[in-house]
Amino acid sequence: MSAFNYKEEIAKIPQEPGVYRYFDEKGEVIYVGKAKNLKNRVSSYFLKSNQHDRKTKRLVSQIRRLEFMIVPSEWDALLLENQLIKQLQPKFNILLKDDKTYPFICVTNELFPQVYVTRNVDRRKGTYYGPFASLRTMHTLLDMFRSLYTIRSCQLALTPPNIEAGKFKVCLEYHIGNCKGPCENLQSPEDYRVEIEQIHHILKGNLSLPQQYFKDKMLKASESMAFEEAHSWKTKLEHLANFQSRATVVNPKIGNVDVLTIVSDEDAAYLNFMKVKDGYTVATQTFEVKKKLNEPDMEILEMMLIEMREKYGSESKEVLSNLKPELSMKPEVIIPQIGDKKKLLDMSMKNVMYFRREKAERREIEASATTSRKDRVLIRLKTDLQLKTLPRHIECFDNSNTQGTNPVGAMVCFKDGKPSKKDYRHFNIKTVVGPNDFASMNEVVGRRYLRLIAENQPLPDLIIVDGGKGQLSAACDALKQLGIYGQVPIVGIAKRLEEIYFPEDSVPLYIDKRSESLKLIQQLRDEAHRFGITHHRDKRSKGSLISELEGIEGVGKVTATKLLKYFGTVKAIKESPAEKLTEVVGPALAGKLLRHFDSMKG
């Protein structure tokens, strides 16, 4: 292809708003841009008087053809530019590359709708809310739904023919009051739909209708002298109010608004987006955008505003930001100076500044020539598990028992990626009878962190539980009882496929089998298992020795334990002189022991 005659091409370009595209010698689009004045903007790339940076010079050197499209306004140009960049993904444009698939909450279109979490969106199946960049926010909502409503948790095909044919039977959820039994036609679709509609309202950010529903039910029950029922409705109302108070970040009168803030350095921009509905945050995400051509913050802000509003389905008419775009945008962008909106903007800025600082620290560690392997592994583990801080202090728990006998728990501690054996702990299970791994895990985790709290010791950066969803759930219950759930990241590793489970997330994470971070998790798990098995063997051995001594007339468990603690082994007791035995257990028992051992020799 011949050299690009930019003067001839520029002469054809009008002074109108629009979008331009640059092509390379292969005919591929390498850059898409927008302009208020197409002629002036495109000309600026080729004027020698402009001192372009190295990246822009590289772009210009590869241009072999250009195309443009005129649009009614600069706002339309921004929308078209965003659409073309996502469609064509030119190599010189900034792209929001997000390798995380954020989950949605789906409310299905069935006769008796399900409410569940999914990462696969199929609009034909139901209504989807999200995506949820914060899993904690999503699980808080799901927990609230479970406490307020009796929505089914099963995946049965509850069609009228199936229900009429009696294909299904109520499960435990019905018997414990979490479901009203629509599978056996014990609940009408109309009654079920009332609660589903309230869930829709809450997910849309409208809490006033559910609140009024509970209030009306409470008053009606009270008027009928059904005080227990009235108390139940009051509890639900308080639960909803508690959720709102925790979720509200500004005066509810602020209404619907988006927040987008930006800070940057030479190589990247960092942004925080918040979607506020009726005064409380329903979505938030902090992210990084790598610069390609040293793009100014204003340009990145404009593009990401379109991206985030589309991603989170926002239709608010106002956007709060620390920058005000020059172009006239459909949502009005303002920089608040006082009041609740200023507080909201400050909170967003605090998040984005923290995010940038964390990224800078991470790059500093990665770029350092003296970075040790342990730090690289911890950085990888932090990324894989989406942790907020580097997991320098990790604790891992394991349970051991033999057919339900001598159950013990073990905790190993790694600091800076290495075993810290002085911090290892054994636990003799005290409150559990029989082989119950879940209850044992609950006891051990509870005892460990109750002690740390009591001694005012720092909590770990990460807790790992050897086991799948059951063991993880039991450990989480222990943390909840101590009031520290959510303060420390906790995961479970299941042995079968080495999958990683997160609390209340049914979708496991599969880390690359070759990853150093998975190897570190496996090392912790294996060390906890080894440490636990060793203690279990010692306990079984000690138990058998005590049993052997208890066979001697006059020797009970207390005396047997005392002898073993002093002498260490049965052999040492047998070889001990009479004076030493007398000193430990007295002359009468010493005589019985000596006669017993003499008879064994015979």
Side-chain angles (χ1 to χ4, degrees):
M1 185 178 287
S2 59
F4 179 60
N5 188 339
Y6 69 88
K7 292 182 179 179
E8 185 178 313
E9 293 298 325
I10 290 173
K12 303 174 186 176
I13 301 175
Q15 294 185 343
E16 299 283 348
V19 173
Y20 55 94
R21 288 177 288 172
Y22 292 148
F23 296 79
D24 64 7
E25 61 183 5
K26 296 179 182 178
E28 295 180 356
V29 177
I30 57 174
Y31 187 73
V32 174
K34 71 169 189 333
K36 186 176 182 179
N37 185 311
L38 280 168
K39 192 180 195 74
N40 291 348
R41 183 73 184 100
V42 173
S43 298
S44 69
Y45 285 92
F46 302 96
L47 294 176
K48 291 184 180 179
S49 59
N50 282 1
Q51 297 298 315
H52 293 307
D53 58 77
R54 179 177 52 82
K55 295 176 182 177
T56 305
K57 287 178 180 178
R58 183 164 164 258
L59 163 66
V60 173
S61 70
Q62 295 182 27
I63 299 172
R64 295 294 179 269
R65 180 166 65 90
L66 73 83
E67 289 182 359
F68 61 87
M69 179 178 292
I70 301 170
V71 295
S73 68
E74 194 178 359
W75 170 250
D76 294 295
L78 177 61
L79 294 176
L80 180 57
E81 177 197 38
N82 181 264
Q83 181 182 344
L84 289 173
I85 288 173
K86 283 192 287 189
Q87 177 187 335
L88 302 170
Q89 299 190 8
K91 65 181 181 179
F92 283 99
N93 281 102
I94 59 172
L95 298 168
L96 183 58
K97 291 185 177 179
D98 197 343
D99 54 0
K100 303 180 188 71
T101 305
Y102 293 115
F104 290 76
I105 292 178
C106 176
V107 183
T108 62
N109 290 332
E110 299 168 89
L111 179 67
F112 294 98
Q114 301 175 58
V115 179
Y116 63 88
V117 177
T118 181
R119 287 185 170 87
N120 301 314
V121 178
D122 182 353
R123 301 287 177 186
R124 295 169 298 177
K125 290 185 177 180
T127 304
Y128 290 81
Y129 295 94
F132 288 90
S134 169
L135 295 182
R136 185 178 299 176
T137 301
M138 182 187 72
H139 288 306
T140 299
L141 280 166
L142 292 172
D143 286 343
M144 183 174 65
F145 295 155
R146 281 191 282 269
S147 65
L148 297 180
Y149 306 113
T150 52
I151 303 301
R152 68 186 180 107
S153 58
C154 66
Q155 298 179 356
L156 301 176
L158 299 187
T159 60
N162 285 348
I163 295 172
E164 289 170 11
K167 286 190 174 183
F168 311 115
K169 295 294 181 183
V170 293
C171 64
L172 179 62
E173 290 290 285
Y174 170 79
H175 293 294
I176 62 177
N178 290 341
C179 179
K180 292 182 179 178
C183 58
E184 284 196 36
N185 207 20
L186 300 176
Q187 182 182 24
S188 69
E190 292 75 24
D191 182 54
Y192 191 93
R193 180 67 60 180
V194 170
E195 295 192 340
I196 286 293
E197 287 303 321
Q198 292 183 49
I199 287 175
H200 278 296
H201 283 303
I202 293 173
L203 287 168
K204 289 175 183 176
N206 181 9
L207 273 69
S208 58
L209 286 173
Q211 283 175 329
Q212 190 60 48
Y213 173 80
F214 291 140
K215 193 176 294 183
D216 292 343
K217 286 285 189 181
M218 179 183 70
L219 292 173
K220 187 175 179 181
S222 181
E223 289 168 1
S224 303
M225 308 294 281
F227 296 119
E228 286 189 14
E229 184 184 347
H231 180 73
S232 174
W233 290 114
K234 182 185 178 184
T235 302
K236 291 178 184 290
L237 188 61
E238 289 172 347
H239 197 131
L240 194 58
N242 181 47
F243 168 78
Q244 187 177 32
S245 67
R246 284 186 289 116
T248 299
V249 293
V250 288
N251 190 322
K253 292 180 181 177
I254 199 171
N256 302 337
V257 66
D258 293 334
V259 186
L260 184 63
T261 53
I262 182 171
V263 295
S264 70
D265 51 34
E266 187 177 347
D267 299 315
Y270 311 93
L271 299 97
N272 172 260
F273 175 78
M274 297 170 63
K275 178 181 176 182
V276 178
K277 185 98 171 176
D278 289 339
Y280 77 91
T281 307
V282 295
T284 180
Q285 184 180 349
T286 309
F287 55 98
E288 177 186 25
V289 175
K290 297 287 187 184
K291 293 182 179 180
K292 295 290 187 71
L293 299 174
N294 294 329
E295 295 85 353
D297 286 0
M298 192 70 75
E299 184 178 311
I300 297 173
L301 180 81
E302 292 170 354
M303 183 175 295
M304 289 303 110
L305 180 58
I306 301 298
E307 184 75 24
M308 289 293 105
R309 283 171 63 86
E310 180 182 313
K311 179 176 181 178
Y312 288 98
S314 177
E315 297 177 354
S316 65
K317 296 179 181 179
E318 188 175 79
V319 177
L320 311 181
S321 181
N322 59 320
L323 294 179
K324 186 172 177 61
E326 296 175 0
L327 72 130
S328 178
M329 304 186 78
K330 292 295 171 69
E332 183 185 5
V333 180
I334 64 171
I335 305 176
Q337 302 299 319
I338 58 173
D340 290 324
K341 290 181 179 179
K342 177 65 165 62
K343 291 177 185 176
L344 190 57
L345 180 66
D346 289 344
M347 185 172 72
S348 178
M349 284 297 295
K350 184 177 180 180
N351 275 279
V352 80
M353 294 296 287
Y354 176 83
F355 183 75
R356 181 178 72 166
R357 186 168 64 252
E358 187 183 34
K359 286 282 186 180
E361 289 172 356
R362 177 178 165 185
R363 276 199 298 271
E364 188 177 335
I365 293 172
E366 290 176 330
S368 172
T370 59
T371 298
S372 61
R373 177 185 173 276
K374 73 173 188 303
D375 277 344
R376 290 199 307 273
V377 174
L378 295 179
I379 290 167
R380 184 71 256 168
L381 181 61
K382 177 176 180 285
T383 302
D384 286 341
L385 299 184
Q386 299 177 36
L387 305 175
K388 291 182 179 179
T389 57
L390 209 61
R392 294 197 175 278
H393 177 182
I394 307 173
E395 295 187 352
C396 182
F397 293 84
D398 179 44
N399 291 326
S400 297
N401 67 72
T402 303
Q403 296 178 344
T405 64
N406 299 311
V408 296
M411 184 280 292
V412 297
C413 175
F414 275 35
K415 291 185 176 178
D416 289 325
K418 298 293 182 183
S420 178
K421 296 196 174 183
K422 67 182 179 63
D423 295 306
Y424 284 18
R425 295 291 183 271
H426 283 133
F427 300 87
N428 293 321
I429 305 301
K430 298 177 179 178
T431 63
V432 182
V433 178
N436 189 330
D437 276 351
F438 300 161
S440 297
M441 184 64 73
N442 181 277
E443 178 190 325
V444 169
V445 172
R447 284 168 55 189
R448 169 61 177 168
Y449 298 115
L450 177 62
R451 177 138 193 185
L452 287 190
I453 293 168
E455 296 177 351
N456 201 26
Q457 295 293 316
L459 296 171
D461 301 312
L462 174 65
I463 299 170
I464 299 174
V465 171
D466 180 21
K469 290 183 284 187
Q471 282 88 348
L472 178 60
S473 179
C476 289
D477 286 343
L479 300 183
K480 289 175 183 176
Q481 290 161 10
L482 295 172
I484 59 171
Y485 181 64
Q487 293 182 29
V488 184
I490 180 170
V491 298
I493 175 170
K495 292 184 179 68
R496 191 171 65 88
L497 297 173
E498 302 290 54
E499 61 262 40
I500 307 297
Y501 281 94
F502 293 87
E504 301 172 55
D505 189 347
S506 59
V507 184
L509 171 71
Y510 294 93
I511 299 177
D512 188 330
K513 295 293 185 288
R514 296 165 296 180
S515 170
E516 287 184 316
S517 64
L518 178 60
K519 290 176 182 175
L520 177 60
I521 294 173
Q522 290 169 330
Q523 185 184 354
L524 274 147
R525 188 267 316 279
D526 295 343
E527 177 70 353
H529 187 64
R530 179 202 65 77
F531 189 57
I533 287 294
T534 301
H535 180 49
H536 188 252
R537 285 173 183 158
D538 291 344
K539 190 176 179 185
R540 276 188 297 159
S541 175
K542 185 179 178 182
S544 62
L545 291 174
I546 289 173
S547 297
E548 181 181 345
L549 290 172
E550 283 184 302
I552 303 172
E553 182 188 355
V555 177
K557 183 168 286 187
V558 173
T559 304
T561 303
K562 185 178 181 180
L563 284 163
L564 283 170
K565 188 174 182 182
Y566 188 90
F567 293 101
T569 65
V570 174
K571 183 180 179 183
I573 298 171
K574 291 178 180 178
E575 296 173 352
S576 177
E579 296 79 15
K580 198 56 134 176
L581 284 173
T582 300
E583 184 183 323
V584 176
V585 296
L589 272 179
K592 289 182 180 180
L593 286 167
L594 290 170
R595 286 193 293 275
H596 174 78
F597 293 143
D598 286 340
S599 66
M600 295 292 289
K601 292 177 185 176

